[in-house]
Amino acid sequence: MYDILQQDIQYVPGVGPKRKEILSKELGIKTFGDLLEYYPYKYVDRSKIFHINELTSEMPFVQVKGEILSFEEFDMGPRKKRIVAHMTDGTGIVDLVWFMRAKQIAKNYKVNTEYIVFGKPTIYNGRYQFAHPEVEKVDDVQLTEMGMQPYYSTTERMKKAGITSRTIEKIMKSLLEKLTDPLPETLPPFIANRLRLVSRDTAFRHIHYPKTADELRHARVRLKFEELFYVQLNIVRYASDHRRKYRGYIFQHVGNIFNEFYKHHLPFPLTNAQKRVIREIRTDMGSGRQMNRLLQGDVGSGKTLVALMSMLIALDNNYQACIMAPTEILAEQHLATIREFLGDMPVRVELLTGIVKGKKRLEILQGIADGSVQILVGTHAMIEDTVQFLHLGFVVVDEQHRFGVAQRAKLWSKSLNPPHVLVMTATPIPRTLAMTIYGDLDVSVIDELPPGRKPVVTLHKYDNQTTSLYNGIRQQIQQGRQVYIVFPLIKESERIDLKNLEEGFETLLQVFPEFKLSKVHGQMKPADKEEEMQRFVRGETQILVATTVIEVGVNVPNASVMVILDAQRFGLSQLHQLRGRVGRGADQSYCILVTTHQLSKETATRIDIMCDTNDGFQIAEADLKLRGPGDLEGTQQSGMAFDLKIADIARDGQLVQLARDEAQRIIDDDPDCKKSEYEMLWNRLAALRKTNMNWAAIS
């Protein structure tokens, strides 16, 4: 029976070769199964017929039944006509109006014939009318079967070829009539019965033609659960295999290096959250299995300190550690931070990036190979074949969504056994999304800031309030603080944006003649950009005018104001990352979002969320709901966009958890995937993995 769902779409009545080509190119629909999984985006209740005398202009789309009494034509200019059909059901008269296709209308619809008309009632010249309604002969419509009418998304090319939502609906009806045998099950009875899920066959029929809202709800739950369940089953199976297959190095003791650091070099007391995470990491490293842990924490929550202390445990057990960052600036920042933390401790920490060349590079490569380099900080330059570790035991990957799977795997292969891996991200990820993107990792969260940190105050100003904005900036600088002013740099309009930045910089020079300004953007030479950044870091300039290149990698505790111009052009997570550049010292810091007055509802919501909370996880949840997982920063470009046809990770959190729990229960009972009662699941999973399902999401 699986074969019938693999059949070519052109053999569905109403499709044929031409429509097949369009459906394939526009929607990727090639088989019966693809068509079944093309779900409606909305439904309209077609089960009720109204009398004409019941109509009001506030009604949404409704249907009436009556006879056409007569037609009238009105000239609307050269070669344009308005055609009006007067229709009655005995309780009143309503006009059906078309502004095109006059000949076709007159040919299709006849007087003294009963029709069902569906449309939005409006009033024109004191009479109710339907503009461009759907009209069908009463004989062609079985009202008891209509229930809720599905609506399908279409593209411009489809519309031009005459493939409307109604066309897809009719094709879908033909397909379901063609599938006379019930579709085979893909979930075993013990899951379907326990969770009270309708059959797969019923779900597909009711998702396309529900008679009631209840039928639709049950169909959706079944199809969403199945989709999420197989994604989670694959993730949990992979994680289970990985844990059993790869034995981790056992770091049995915490020794002199860690203790020396903890007693004499700790820059500030650890928060309870940091202590909890270090305990979780220590447990993993002593368990005998390879650690794969995701460390989430907002900007400034102290992730680097946790990573360093974890690396020191590796050093105490005679292993090397490394930290891989996505950019040279961030790698250099990590190097400076780690060296500052360690002070005069006899630990050799080196940097390896593309700019480390010649004799210095050879020295470092030799030190990595003989083990004298204990901690290596770098970019993807670390995964080159020339880099050979003596005993690599612990790897930290920072902002991992910027690295591909192959890059990480190459780093792991530099050790006899895979090293313990700590993945860090300052982009808080909602739990349901983390469960799916990073489903094979254990998750730790640092959910409190170090003592003395004050939450950043976020304010919204309009672009005609620059006088008060400039006065506020001036006051802060006079108190000895520094200020970031960020211009958007969005690739589609890069030239205009750069022009805006250049002109804005000139304006700011005139506004603040008493202060020194730096300017940084991505088009500058790396050396010039670095010099400008360093001038700001050293306090030689008071204002840094920049694009979003400062989003990661700049740590200036003295900077207390972040001004984001045209804030309506930034996403929530980007605004939150930029805001994280301030609030790093003990002084009260401010983030000012400057926008135009014309804001869409969604943009206004984004700005309100930023002003209301500093909690990165709340912001990430809101971002997920506003934009969906495929648009979240980092997920799209790393092949983590989910190929989910009906489930929505943002809105179906409970179903994600339910699917996860079911998948875990099965793997716990059958870790080798060999028990006969689960055979259906393993076969289905194997079939799905051969399809276009995007399993890269669970790298």
Side-chain angles (χ1 to χ4, degrees):
M1 185 61 182
Y2 278 115
D3 291 341
I4 196 163
L5 291 188
Q6 293 303 316
Q7 255 193 285
D8 196 314
I9 187 77
Q10 71 175 318
Y11 300 117
V12 175
V15 180
K18 281 188 180 174
R19 281 183 170 173
K20 171 206 165 171
E21 186 192 346
I22 292 169
L23 289 170
S24 174
K25 279 189 177 168
E26 295 296 292
L27 303 175
I29 294 175
K30 297 174 182 175
T31 65
F32 288 9
D34 293 339
L35 183 60
L36 276 183
E37 289 185 346
Y38 193 64
Y39 301 116
Y41 71 92
K42 72 169 185 178
Y43 303 82
V44 174
D45 190 351
R46 297 288 301 266
S47 59
K48 182 173 169 54
I49 288 184
F50 288 85
H51 291 302
I52 290 171
N53 67 355
E54 293 178 299
L55 297 180
T56 69
S57 56
E58 285 80 45
M59 283 178 165
F61 284 76
V62 295
Q63 52 192 2
V64 295
K65 182 170 74 166
E67 286 186 6
I68 293 177
L69 299 173
S70 62
F71 287 93
E72 274 189 279
E73 277 190 17
F74 301 89
D75 279 323
M76 302 280 291
R79 292 185 296 174
K80 285 188 179 179
K81 290 183 187 296
R82 174 166 62 100
I83 187 161
V84 179
H86 306 294
M87 179 180 169
T88 183
D89 67 351
T91 71
I93 292 178
V94 70
D95 292 340
L96 315 180
V97 185
W98 294 269
F99 295 94
M100 56 185 79
R101 299 183 296 129
K103 284 183 183 173
Q104 202 177 335
I105 299 300
K107 182 180 159 190
N108 288 354
Y109 309 126
K110 308 294 178 193
V111 295
N112 302 325
T113 305
E114 201 171 30
Y115 293 99
I116 285 178
V117 172
F118 178 71
K120 169 85 174 78
T122 55
I123 294 178
Y124 179 73
N125 283 346
R127 197 135 104 184
Y128 281 104
Q129 70 169 29
F130 291 103
H132 292 272
E134 282 183 27
V135 182
E136 292 183 275
K137 269 189 182 179
V138 169
D139 301 346
D140 296 342
V141 180
Q142 293 171 295
L143 284 175
T144 53
E145 284 184 14
M146 283 201 71
M148 299 173 74
Q149 183 176 345
Y151 279 74
Y152 298 88
S153 297
T154 53
T155 65
E156 281 307 309
R157 190 181 168 203
M158 288 167 69
K159 284 172 191 159
K160 281 179 186 168
I163 305 176
T164 62
S165 169
R166 198 84 171 98
T167 314
I168 294 177
E169 187 199 332
K170 286 176 179 172
I171 291 170
M172 197 71 74
K173 194 170 187 188
S174 300
L175 173 60
L176 290 168
E177 284 168 356
K178 193 176 176 76
L179 299 171
T180 49
D181 295 327
L183 294 172
E185 261 309 328
T186 45
L187 288 176
F190 66 83
I191 291 181
N193 294 342
R194 186 170 65 248
L195 301 180
R196 297 181 181 174
L197 300 172
V198 297
S199 73
R200 185 167 176 245
D201 187 77
T202 300
F204 273 127
R205 293 180 193 279
H206 287 178
I207 199 81
H208 293 292
Y209 286 99
K211 292 188 181 66
T212 64
D214 217 35
E215 279 190 356
L216 176 60
R217 186 172 58 81
H218 285 299
R220 271 185 173 148
V221 167
R222 157 66 203 232
L223 294 169
K224 285 180 176 186
F225 173 82
E226 178 175 336
E227 194 168 58
L228 293 166
F229 170 73
Y230 278 107
V231 169
Q232 293 297 335
L233 186 63
N234 194 63
I235 292 166
V236 175
R237 184 193 61 80
Y238 169 80
S240 169
D241 278 359
H242 189 89
R243 287 191 185 109
R244 288 181 307 129
K245 186 175 175 184
Y246 295 112
R247 308 307 300 161
Y249 294 119
I250 298 176
F251 295 165
Q252 287 179 318
H253 67 283
V254 173
N256 294 337
I257 301 175
F258 182 94
N259 289 327
E260 165 71 13
F261 178 80
Y262 190 75
K263 287 172 186 166
H264 303 295
H265 293 268
L266 203 60
F268 44 76
L270 296 176
T271 63
N272 288 328
Q274 285 173 312
K275 288 176 185 172
R276 184 187 69 241
V277 171
I278 290 170
R279 276 197 302 273
E280 289 167 351
I281 291 168
R282 277 187 62 183
T283 302
D284 281 355
M285 293 194 298
S287 69
R289 66 179 180 85
Q290 186 219 1
M291 179 180 82
N292 271 301
R293 187 166 285 279
L294 171 69
L295 176 55
Q296 293 194 66
D298 251 330
V299 171
S301 60
K303 294 187 301 298
T304 307
L305 182 58
V306 167
L308 172 61
M309 292 175 76
S310 305
M311 289 193 283
L312 296 182
I313 296 173
L315 269 54
D316 271 332
N317 288 272
N318 298 317
Y319 285 90
Q320 293 162 289
C322 69
I323 179 164
M324 185 160 77
T327 65
E328 290 186 352
I329 290 174
L330 196 51
E332 286 167 17
Q333 191 84 50
H334 278 314
L335 179 78
T337 304
I338 288 168
R339 282 184 171 165
E340 190 181 331
F341 280 155
L342 291 171
D344 58 2
M345 285 183 66
V347 174
R348 186 177 174 192
V349 186
E350 295 288 1
L351 178 74
L352 189 67
T353 65
I355 57 172
V356 180
K357 291 188 165 60
K359 191 178 172 187
K360 178 68 176 167
R361 190 181 189 87
L362 289 174
E363 270 176 31
I364 292 170
L365 290 174
Q366 180 58 43
I368 297 166
D370 65 24
S372 60
V373 171
Q374 294 158 285
I375 296 177
L376 182 67
V377 183
T379 56
H380 56 271
M382 293 162 56
I383 62 176
E384 291 170 7
D385 292 337
T386 52
V387 182
Q388 296 294 327
F389 289 86
L390 182 66
H391 291 302
L392 180 62
F394 195 90
V395 172
V396 181
V397 183
D398 194 17
E399 292 301 336
Q400 91 103 41
H401 62 253
R402 296 169 186 235
F403 292 106
V405 186
Q407 287 176 307
R408 292 202 312 280
K410 210 165 176 187
L411 193 56
W412 298 350
S413 68
K414 292 184 178 291
S415 189
L416 196 61
N417 281 349
H420 295 297
V421 177
L422 183 68
V423 169
M424 298 198 302
T425 179
T427 308
I429 301 155
R431 200 175 49 81
T432 51
L433 191 59
M435 214 186 285
T436 310
I437 295 182
Y438 301 119
D440 57 319
L441 303 181
D442 298 311
V443 179
S444 290
V445 178
I446 301 181
D447 49 11
E448 58 183 311
L449 292 177
R453 290 280 176 93
K454 294 175 183 167
V456 178
V457 174
T458 304
L459 307 168
H460 176 208
K461 286 190 180 289
Y462 292 108
D463 51 12
N464 61 353
Q465 297 175 298
T466 50
T467 306
S468 67
L469 175 65
Y470 293 156
N471 287 339
I473 289 172
R474 189 169 275 111
Q475 282 174 7
Q476 285 289 312
I477 296 174
Q478 284 166 351
Q479 290 170 26
R481 314 278 177 263
Q482 289 168 279
V483 176
Y484 296 103
I485 299 180
V486 175
F487 282 79
L489 182 58
I490 315 298
K491 279 183 181 164
E492 289 80 34
S493 54
E494 208 163 89
R495 284 182 190 166
I496 300 165
D497 286 336
L498 277 175
K499 186 165 174 272
N500 289 348
L501 182 137
E502 300 288 356
E503 289 173 357
F505 185 72
E506 293 303 318
T507 303
L508 290 166
L509 285 173
Q510 291 166 22
V511 172
F512 299 110
E514 71 272 43
F515 302 134
K516 290 190 170 65
L517 282 71
S518 289
K519 177 175 63 176
V520 173
H521 58 77
Q523 304 294 303
M524 294 167 68
K525 289 177 181 172
D528 296 343
K529 187 164 60 179
E530 185 61 32
E531 176 52 29
E532 287 294 290
M533 287 256 205
Q534 288 305 323
R535 286 177 66 213
F536 186 69
V537 170
R538 293 192 296 263
E540 293 167 15
T541 55
Q542 288 80 46
I543 300 173
L544 177 60
V545 180
T547 58
T548 52
V549 292
I550 59 152
E551 189 183 333
V552 293
V554 183
N555 182 17
V556 185
N558 193 46
S560 64
V561 180
M562 167 64 69
V563 179
I564 304 172
L565 302 174
D566 283 328
Q568 72 276 2
R569 293 177 61 191
F570 294 87
L572 257 179
S573 66
Q574 204 172 24
L575 289 172
H576 182 61
Q577 286 280 329
L578 286 167
R579 177 169 63 185
R581 296 296 110 211
V582 295
R584 291 169 162 256
D587 302 303
Q588 180 62 64
S589 290
Y590 301 89
C591 176
I592 293 107
L593 308 175
V594 182
T595 71
T596 57
H597 275 275
Q598 284 80 37
L599 298 179
S600 68
K601 190 178 173 187
E602 187 183 303
T603 304
T605 304
R606 276 208 308 270
I607 302 298
D608 288 345
I609 290 165
M610 285 296 296
C611 293
D612 290 344
T613 182
N614 277 281
D615 185 324
F617 287 94
Q618 277 186 37
I619 287 165
E621 288 283 357
D623 205 18
L624 187 58
K625 286 191 171 122
L626 283 170
R627 299 203 284 163
D631 290 333
L632 277 191
E633 191 168 353
T635 60
Q636 196 74 56
Q637 54 269 48
S638 61
M640 292 177 187
F642 299 106
D643 191 18
L644 297 177
K645 303 259 186 1
I646 189 167
D648 181 330
I649 286 176
R651 293 172 180 83
D652 296 321
Q654 284 181 307
L655 276 177
V656 174
Q657 186 65 59
L658 187 64
R660 178 69 164 205
D661 292 345
E662 286 297 321
Q664 191 64 60
R665 183 181 293 150
I666 285 155
I667 290 294
D668 288 346
D669 190 44
D670 185 18
D672 295 316
C673 309
K674 287 181 179 172
K675 287 193 177 179
S676 57
E677 62 259 46
Y678 303 120
E679 189 177 358
M680 174 194 284
L681 299 178
W682 308 132
N683 290 341
R684 177 69 176 158
L685 197 57
L688 283 170
R689 287 174 69 88
K690 287 177 188 169
T691 68
N692 61 354
M693 197 154 186
N694 191 346
W695 296 102
I698 54 113
S699 63

